[in-house]
């Protein structure tokens, strides 16, 4: 963000609100909004979409910005949409964000559906994490993916848009590299008719741009942070990458695009085993027992590689 009194938009004479340090241009409010919405539209236009898609809506900044972008460009969209929220059951955090999500959907007039860990798995995330050695985010990711799939099936949703932005992709690229998880890069995520397809309309929009978009739309609220966030590897990688991006603008974008390029060129180099039905719950997974059942039966180990993002 820049000194508004000194800079004007590169495209017009209005005051600038944003400095794109990679492209070395200044953008005013209108052009920043147009850029973000243009990226979303371009992503959707190159994707084959059904008449209705779901937006994974946590109530946080990124998914709120995505929902708003969908609403602002809805006349140009090739599909209609609804919002889907997972309540993991995290005391002191989720109640506030769920309330915020409900309020935003009410104001925007978007149909909103919520699914709760407690209802589908019989336990909240807090209960599953209590006394466990396992990483909360790993458990959360595995179960959240399943909960979202269950909700999607109930609503007959076959495509889910998520608010992952370019920075998230860069973090994932580095995390895959430092954890030596080459299969995730080279095989991508397994496709299955069973699971809803995921799309990421913010894949080419940076976190700063998404944040500013939310602020300019009056949607940035000071919500509590998940108490488990500090324990994640992603949190550490995020901090490191931000420091690096400050010194070397463009690093984040390069890391994200590099992995995207590798996936496009070499995706499929590793052949995934075909999905097989879990002997316990019947959902398709990569082994005899799916990861959700392993988590719920407390038999998941670090050797099990998660299929979730
Ligand atoms: Fe779940 Fe981790 Fe995100 Fe908290 S920070 S919501 S535990 S993935």
């Amino acid at each position: 963000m820049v000194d508004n009194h000194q800079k004007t938009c590169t495209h017009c004479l209005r005051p600038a609100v944003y400095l794109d340090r990679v492209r070395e241009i200044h953008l005013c409010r209108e052009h920043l909004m147009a850029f973000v919405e243009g990226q979303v539209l371009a992503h959707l236009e190159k994707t084959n979409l059904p008449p209705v898609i779901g937006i994974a809506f946590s109530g946080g900044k990124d998914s709120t910005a995505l929902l708003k972008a969908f609403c602002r460009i809805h006349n140009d969209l090739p599909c209609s949409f609804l919002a889907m929220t997972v309540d993991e059951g995290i005391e002191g955090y989720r109640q506030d964000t769920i309330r915020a999500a409900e309020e935003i959907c009410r104001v925007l007039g978007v149909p909103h559906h919520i699914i709760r860990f407690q209802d589908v798995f019989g336990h909240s995330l807090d209960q599953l994490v209590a006394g466990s050695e396992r990483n909360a985010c790993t458990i959360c990711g595995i179960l959240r993916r399943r909960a979202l799939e269950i909700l999607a099936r109930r609503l007959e949703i076959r495509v889910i848009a998520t608010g992952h932005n370019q920075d998230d992709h860069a973090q994932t690229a580095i995390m895959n590299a430092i954890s030596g998880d080459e299969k995730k890069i080279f095989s991508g995520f397994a496709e299955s008719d069973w699971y809803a397809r995921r799309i990421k309309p913010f894949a080419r929009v940076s976190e700063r741009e998404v944040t500013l978009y939310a602020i300019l739309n009056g949607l940035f609220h000071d919500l509590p942070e998940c108490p488990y966030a500090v324990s994640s590897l992603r949190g550490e990688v995020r901090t490191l990458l931000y420091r690096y991006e400050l010194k070397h603008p463009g690093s984040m974008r390069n890391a994200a695009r590099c992995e995207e390029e590798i996936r496009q060129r070499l995706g499929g180099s590793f052949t995934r085993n075909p999905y097989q039905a879990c002997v316990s719950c019947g959902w398709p997974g990569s082994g005899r027992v799916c990861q959700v059942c392993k988590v719920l039966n407390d038999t998941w180990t670090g050797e099990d590689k998660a299929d979730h993002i």
Side-chain angles (χ1 to χ4, degrees):
M1 286 163 223
V2 295
D3 182 346
N4 297 355
H5 300 295
Q6 294 180 11
K7 304 292 180 188
T8 55
C9 177
T10 303
H11 301 305
C12 65
L13 291 177
R14 284 185 287 244
V17 295
Y18 176 64
L19 166 62
D20 182 335
R21 296 176 71 216
V22 181
R23 292 185 292 161
E24 295 185 337
I25 57 170
H26 292 86
L27 295 177
C28 64
R29 178 184 191 276
E30 285 72 16
H31 278 103
L32 185 275
M33 303 254 283
F35 166 75
V36 172
E37 289 159 10
Q39 291 295 318
V40 171
L41 199 54
H43 189 93
L44 296 177
E45 281 175 347
K46 69 179 184 193
T47 314
N48 188 18
L49 297 173
V52 187
I53 70 169
I55 297 178
F57 182 50
S58 68
K61 162 185 56 71
D62 294 351
S63 59
T64 300
L66 186 63
L67 194 66
K68 180 66 179 180
F70 268 68
C71 289
R72 280 177 51 92
I73 59 176
H74 74 275
N75 284 336
D76 298 321
L77 291 181
C79 60
S80 62
F81 53 92
L82 51 81
M84 303 160 64
T85 299
V86 177
D87 180 356
E88 302 91 348
I90 304 172
E91 191 62 36
Y93 161 67
R94 225 39 187 118
Q95 300 95 324
D96 287 351
T97 51
I98 294 278
R99 263 197 298 276
E102 287 174 327
E103 176 63 9
I104 288 164
C105 286
R106 191 188 63 73
V107 170
L108 295 177
V110 177
H112 187 208
H113 302 267
I114 302 175
I115 190 165
R116 295 185 167 80
F117 273 20
Q118 188 76 50
D119 296 336
V120 281
F121 304 124
H123 306 280
S124 67
L125 183 67
D126 284 341
Q127 289 167 342
L128 288 164
V129 168
S132 170
E133 295 293 310
R134 292 169 303 184
N135 181 291
C137 294
T138 303
I139 297 173
C140 181
I142 291 170
L143 298 188
R144 183 146 36 91
R145 178 180 162 88
R146 172 67 61 87
L148 207 54
E149 288 293 337
I150 292 171
L151 184 57
R153 290 176 77 80
R154 285 181 192 161
L155 300 169
E156 299 184 2
I157 290 293
R158 301 304 302 143
V159 172
I160 300 174
T162 66
H164 292 96
N165 59 47
Q166 187 170 267
D167 296 26
D168 296 320
H169 282 265
Q171 291 153 19
T172 301
I174 302 299
M175 285 166 67
N176 286 343
I178 61 181
S179 61
D181 198 353
E182 74 279 2
K183 283 187 185 170
K184 249 187 190 166
I185 301 173
F186 292 115
S187 61
F189 296 102
E191 294 284 336
S192 161
D193 288 343
W194 184 283
Y195 290 106
R197 192 156 45 95
R198 306 293 178 106
I199 59 170
K200 302 175 184 98
F202 278 158
R204 299 219 158 181
V205 184
S206 74
E207 173 121 20
R208 288 177 73 226
E209 289 156 352
V210 171
T211 303
L212 190 50
Y213 183 84
I215 292 170
L216 293 174
N217 279 290
L219 293 169
F220 192 81
H221 301 294
D222 195 15
L223 292 169
E225 213 185 317
C226 176
Y228 300 119
V230 286
S231 66
S232 70
L233 171 63
R234 183 173 290 276
E236 291 175 34
V237 170
R238 177 187 292 131
T239 305
L240 277 176
L241 272 175
Y242 283 157
R243 279 195 203 135
Y244 203 73
E245 175 73 21
L246 269 180
K247 278 192 185 168
H248 309 282
S251 307
M252 204 90 84
R253 184 195 61 179
N254 294 343
R257 294 198 183 169
C258 182
E259 199 196 34
E260 189 183 311
E261 192 74 14
I262 290 171
R263 280 185 194 229
Q264 271 169 15
R265 286 170 188 247
L266 300 174
S269 311
F270 272 105
T271 310
R272 269 182 182 269
N273 292 330
Y275 276 132
Q276 52 182 300
C278 170
V279 293
S280 181
C281 70
W283 275 68
S286 50
R288 272 185 79 250
V289 179
C290 74
Q291 292 181 346
V292 171
C293 288
K294 285 179 181 175
V295 164
L296 295 175
N297 297 325
D298 209 22
T299 55
W300 192 90
T301 73
E303 297 302 308
D304 295 302
K305 294 294 183 190
D307 285 336
H308 70 280
I309 302 171

